[in-house]
Amino acid sequence: MDDEQRVNLGVSLFIPYRYTEDRMFRALQDAGFDDWTLAQCRVFQRVAPDGSRLTDLADQAQMSKQSAGGMVDQLESLGYVRRVPDPTDGRARLIVIEGRGLQAVEVARATLDDILSEWKAYLGTRNFTLLQQILDQLAEITDPYARSAPQAPTSS
Amino acid sequence: MDDEQRVNLGVSLFIPYRYTEDRMFRALQDAGFDDWTLAQCRVFQRVAPDGSRLTDLADQAQMSKQSAGGMVDQLESLGYVRRVPDPTDGRARLIVIEGRGLQAVEVARATLDDILSEWKAYLGTRNFTLLQQILDQLAEITDPYARSAPQAPTSS
DNA sequence: GGTGTTAGTCAGGTATCTTTACTATATGCA
DNA sequence: TGCATATAGTAAAGATACCTGACTAACACC
């Protein structure tokens, strides 16, 4: 395979990512979670297990606070999350997963496990593990929310 | 790092993908291509070098034909692409990159090269090459547009 | 020639997203 | 402690991105 034919690395990262997203969303629908949209689901998946601030969700989803707020409103109405006071800041509330959301997380988890098993079988354990390790390493310089990211390289 | 703390693989594919997209879009803006939106740019990047059918673009972008058509209208107005008759099908036209689009492709290309050089330097040549190879392999079972994809595994 | 399929446009509409402005709360500093 | 600045998140108003259903001309196949 020569370079002319090779898909660029950005695209080749996107392909399996989208596969995962598509398949998980479909599995959720098949499991009865067919009352929400992909956009809502995308915000939902960013809610941390111990709850998230609206502004964090908005940052991570690269959307405005109001968009995120609107999505959370919808998720709350649908029973996937709840807003609770944030004990550390009187202005803020935490968005926590509950009710239907907890069940959806189980389905998503199980589907992802299936997918990863298939990938592992296809790639072999060694390459699968390497993939995880390399991507974790890459996240160190590409993830703005990494815990202690090195300074990202400046543009040339 | 134990499994509880590890970001799931879907997310870890997304992180560098988004980094690439963000950085390239910013570079295009800085280079004067600041007259288009990310949604337009996303459709644009799917236009093949020898031209694309509208319906192919719509498929690949997972959007409706009309949405894709509207985006192409806008790209055409902005001078990034042109519609030409498809010699193989009288119903169809090809969307080809021209004018501003050709210049934008150069900027995008150069930016991607920069990014990949940085990744290569950070990961080391060996892991960088492994990453490419593994992702190419993974695309065989995750890319609906792969040339001769094996049958994708069915959901459990 | 007849039938079923497809490319891409139209009509009508919804979903998702934005910026600006605002108030209550929090933070930092003199 | 008081004041200036910053922040969380909601409201208002609006733009952009996207959808489904319908349609006609062209295509593919028998």
Side-chain angles (χ1 to χ4, degrees):
Chain A
M1 178 176 297
D2 65 72
D3 277 3
E4 291 289 345
Q5 301 299 328
R6 169 171 285 167
V7 158
N8 85 55
L9 194 52
V11 172
S12 63
L13 288 160
F14 181 67
I15 289 163
Y17 159 71
R18 187 168 70 176
Y19 176 89
T20 300
E21 185 179 68
D22 287 348
R23 192 154 147 199
M24 283 166 78
F25 192 63
R26 228 178 306 132
L28 284 161
Q29 287 179 312
D30 291 347
F33 301 99
D34 55 0
D35 54 351
W36 58 355
T37 64
L38 188 56
Q40 292 166 348
C41 198
R42 281 184 180 147
V43 170
F44 177 78
Q45 74 170 126
R46 295 182 192 282
V47 180
D50 50 344
S52 293
R53 291 268 184 90
L54 181 74
T55 48
D56 289 338
L57 292 182
D59 276 349
Q60 288 176 41
Q62 289 189 341
M63 64 170 54
S64 68
K65 288 183 284 185
Q66 170 153 15
S67 293
M71 286 292 152
V72 170
D73 288 344
Q74 292 166 18
L75 289 171
E76 199 171 18
S77 296
L78 291 166
Y80 287 94
V81 300
R82 190 173 91 245
R83 281 176 161 107
V84 301
D86 182 340
T88 61
D89 187 331
R91 299 168 297 184
R93 281 180 290 178
L94 291 178
I95 291 108
V96 295
I97 298 174
E98 65 138 38
R100 265 176 86 69
L102 289 170
Q103 294 154 38
V105 166
E106 292 310 309
V107 174
R109 179 84 248 171
T111 308
L112 182 62
D113 287 347
D114 287 348
I115 294 169
L116 298 188
S117 295
E118 288 159 19
W119 289 5
K120 191 173 186 176
Y122 193 75
L123 296 172
T125 301
R126 183 179 141 79
N127 277 350
F128 180 77
T129 304
L130 276 173
L131 179 63
Q132 286 178 310
Q133 288 171 354
I134 296 170
L135 288 174
D136 285 345
Q137 199 181 351
L138 195 49
E140 290 167 6
I141 60 170
T142 58
D143 184 2
Y145 306 96
R147 256 169 292 175
S148 50
Q151 186 72 3
T154 53
S155 305
S156 302
Chain B
M1 177 175 301
D2 64 71
D3 277 2
E4 291 288 347
Q5 300 299 330
R6 169 171 286 166
V7 158
N8 86 55
L9 195 51
V11 173
S12 62
L13 288 159
F14 180 68
I15 289 164
Y17 159 71
R18 187 169 70 175
Y19 177 88
T20 300
E21 185 179 71
D22 287 347
R23 192 152 145 199
M24 282 166 78
F25 191 63
R26 226 179 305 132
L28 284 161
Q29 288 179 313
D30 292 347
F33 302 99
D34 55 359
D35 55 350
W36 58 357
T37 65
L38 188 57
Q40 291 165 347
C41 197
R42 282 182 179 149
V43 170
F44 178 78
Q45 73 169 132
R46 295 182 192 283
V47 180
D50 50 344
S52 294
R53 291 268 186 90
L54 181 74
T55 48
D56 288 339
L57 292 182
D59 275 349
Q60 288 174 42
Q62 288 187 342
M63 62 171 56
S64 68
K65 288 184 284 187
Q66 171 154 11
S67 293
M71 285 293 151
V72 170
D73 289 344
Q74 292 165 16
L75 288 171
E76 200 171 17
S77 296
L78 291 164
Y80 288 92
V81 300
R82 190 174 90 243
R83 280 173 161 108
V84 302
D86 183 339
T88 63
D89 187 332
R91 297 169 298 185
R93 281 180 290 177
L94 290 179
I95 290 107
V96 296
I97 298 174
E98 66 138 37
R100 267 176 83 71
L102 290 170
Q103 293 154 39
V105 166
E106 292 309 309
V107 174
R109 178 84 248 169
T111 308
L112 182 62
D113 287 346
D114 287 346
I115 293 169
L116 297 188
S117 295
E118 289 159 20
W119 289 5
K120 192 172 185 177
Y122 193 73
L123 295 172
T125 301
R126 184 178 140 79
N127 277 351
F128 179 79
T129 305
L130 276 173
L131 179 62
Q132 288 178 309
Q133 288 170 353
I134 296 170
L135 288 174
D136 285 345
Q137 200 181 353
L138 195 49
E140 291 166 3
I141 59 168
T142 59
D143 183 3
Y145 306 96
R147 254 167 298 174
S148 50
Q151 186 71 7
T154 54
S155 304
S156 301

